[in-house]
Amino acid sequence: MIGLSTSSVYPESTAHAFSYAALLGYDAVEVMVGIDSLSQQVTAVKQLSEHHGVPVCAIHAPCLLITQRVWGTDPWGKLERSAEMAAAVGADVVVVHPPFRWQKEYAREFVQGIAGLEESTGIAFAVENMYPWRATQKRALEVYLPSWDPSENDYANTTVDLSHAAVAQSDPVAMAERLAERLRHIHLTDGTGSAKDEHLIPGRGTQPVAELLQHLAAVDFAGHVVVEVNTRKCATVDARTADLAEALSFARTHLGVSGPSME
């Protein structure tokens, strides 16, 4: 399944993301719960999915710095609401970032708490790889606990994001191999290895994006491959449409998918 993250159309809305997904033939949408009020409303997300005939494959919990107050300030409450939305709209995955270092109590209970939520909700909480914050190539600040690398912890389900791997200067193919069957979700994008989280169109950076997709095809990956790119510099709808179409074509080519969907 090749999906489109609603974050890929920012500053356009969640509603626009469903429209692009339907127009271009994406199989599904991942909803990033954020400052767009539509993304926070179960009823609105369901209506968008039904109207466009595009299912929701995943909910991205509001765990960015800019969404710290979305759905309250209790991190566990945010995850519970994310699971409730996922169940209501038919998604089977919640994407979640590891805690920030200053969220000490949350971080202390995170690994066990995620396992408990999966057991109680039946939803997979796919913990995403992040990265050290780097001011320069030589100075880095570890800001995630228990680790920015999900392969170092005992999570049942994980997400690999190629832009995050670029910032961390880690090999996403090697990470995927370490995770093996615990890899449930991919954020398909690219980066150049700079300190900036670039989220480039796949193929425009230096990451082994094609190699990762080919690896997934070789191991019969059954999870979601979701395009999560930055199109903010697109000056027109046509330019954004072209970028999202290019990303989808790249995914299909290297996954070996010739039709509109991946079975």
Side-chain angles (χ1 to χ4, degrees), residues 64 97-98 128-132 144 147-150 164-165 168 170 197:
L64 305 176
H97 294 180
E128 186 170 2
N129 64 310
M130 297 304 291
Y131 47 83
Y144 296 101
S147 172
W148 60 263
D149 181 350
H164 296 175
S170 65
D197 187 14

Side-chain angles (χ1 to χ4, degrees), residues 131-143 167 194-196:
Y131 47 83
W133 289 3
R134 291 191 286 121
T136 67
Q137 292 293 332
K138 295 183 179 180
R139 296 182 58 190
L141 178 65
E142 299 288 346
V143 294
V167 180
S194 76
K196 182 180 179 181

Side-chain angles (χ1 to χ4, degrees), residues 169-184:
Q169 299 181 340
S170 65
D171 182 346
V173 178
M175 184 179 290
E177 291 172 343
R178 290 196 303 274
L179 290 167
E181 70 278 359
R182 296 193 296 138
L183 180 58
R184 180 65 177 268

Side-chain angles (χ1 to χ4, degrees), residues 31-51:
V31 175
M32 170 77 80
V33 179
I35 56 176
D36 174 12
S37 63
L38 286 178
S39 71
Q40 304 171 26
Q41 301 173 36
V42 172
T43 300
V45 171
K46 287 183 68 175
Q47 289 175 341
L48 286 167
S49 176
E50 292 167 1
H51 175 73

